[in-house]
Amino acid sequence: MMLSEFKLGIRNGIPIALGYFTVSIAFGIYAAKMRWSVYGAGLLSLSNLSSAGQFAGLKILDGGSNYLELFVSVFVINVRYILMAIVLAQKLAPMPLRHKMILGYGITDEIFALAIKSPVEVNFSYFMGLTLLPAIGWTSGTIVGVLFGNVLPSALVSAFGITLYCMFIAVLVPGAKGNLKIFRVTAIAILLSSVLAYCPYTSNLQFGWRVVLTVILASGISVALDVVAERSSDLSKVR
């Protein structure tokens, strides 16, 4: 492992680690409310590094849903990591398969964003340095949330509760500002999620299935709109 590249990854991962620590405290507080032990919640965070997937998974389990719903909903939420891995593979320096499998563990939205912007090929040393502190931050924040969530002031607990949404906004807004498609699919997903949550015919649907339907329908509608727009453009050119 090249020490200089590993150190560069460590330095670049510090801001991500600080953000993950704060957000994962909220996850730890939520896990404690569901009577998860500090060891169980900590192991869950260490082995997943998936904010939205972990929150959704715990909410599904808390609602008494079955494992099929848990599997399908978490898979749909986390399927983006597969796409990220495919894109990142084009930028990786040559390395053994075992190293690529280890790198797959560390792919998150923020780590992927930094790695893909690297001006040079991403090698094993750099990516491991980039992953190390965020993984520690996410796991340690979860443990802190489980241990101290019940003794923190209620105002502070409430503040931690919105950190996940703040992180999502921070990720979405820059992309949506420069890309109408991202803005459109986000708006469609928000609208569909609200309809499914409050419509009398779907409000009793389990949370996990609502997530799955929202993702599939929002993606499908956005693609359909693109196809219609493309065909309309082609027809106008022909005329």
Side-chain angles (χ1 to χ4, degrees), residues 16-237:
I16 300 176
L18 294 175
Y20 280 7
F21 178 80
T22 305
V23 174
S24 62
I25 289 177
F27 175 75
I29 293 171
Y30 185 49
K33 289 180 179 179
M34 290 185 58
R35 301 183 183 280
W36 277 63
S37 68
V38 63
Y39 304 106
L43 181 60
L44 180 61
S45 286
L46 179 62
S47 60
N48 282 267
L49 298 183
S50 170
S51 55
Q54 289 180 216
F55 272 95
L58 281 189
K59 189 167 184 177
I60 291 168
L61 291 174
D62 189 31
S65 303
N66 56 50
Y67 288 113
L68 176 62
E69 179 185 344
L70 176 66
F71 171 80
V72 174
S73 57
V74 173
F75 174 80
V76 169
I77 292 171
N78 290 342
V79 72
R80 69 189 188 280
Y81 296 135
I82 298 177
L83 304 178
M84 291 178 188
I86 294 172
V87 174
L88 185 60
Q90 312 305 313
K91 200 176 180 62
L92 291 179
M95 64 181 69
L97 177 61
R98 65 179 183 276
H99 286 180
K100 292 180 180 178
M101 295 177 69
I102 295 173
L103 263 58
Y105 158 78
I107 294 178
T108 67
D109 301 286
E110 294 77 15
I111 292 174
F112 168 80
L114 278 184
I116 206 66
K117 290 179 181 177
S118 173
V120 297
E121 285 185 320
V122 177
N123 59 33
F124 183 71
S125 299
Y126 173 75
F127 198 89
M128 287 304 297
L130 187 61
T131 303
L132 180 60
L133 290 184
I136 294 174
W138 183 254
T139 305
S140 60
T142 298
I143 293 173
V144 168
V146 175
L147 289 176
F148 302 107
N150 291 329
V151 299
L152 292 174
S154 58
L156 186 59
V157 172
S158 299
F160 281 125
I162 66 169
T163 52
L164 179 66
Y165 304 103
C166 294
M167 187 179 71
F168 283 156
I169 292 172
V171 171
L172 283 172
V173 168
K177 287 173 61 178
N179 192 318
L180 181 61
K181 292 182 179 179
I182 296 177
F183 176 81
R184 183 182 63 197
V185 74
T186 302
I188 293 172
I190 293 172
L191 178 62
L192 286 173
S193 179
S194 301
V195 170
L196 292 174
Y198 296 105
C199 177
Y201 300 102
T202 57
S203 59
N204 292 328
L205 195 63
Q206 293 286 354
F207 170 77
W209 294 123
R210 294 205 306 268
V211 170
V212 172
L213 284 174
T214 298
V215 172
I216 293 175
L217 290 175
S219 303
I221 292 172
S222 184
V223 170
L225 290 174
D226 285 339
V227 171
V228 170
E230 185 177 347
R231 288 182 178 178
S232 299
S233 178
D234 291 342
L235 288 174
S236 63
K237 289 179 182 179

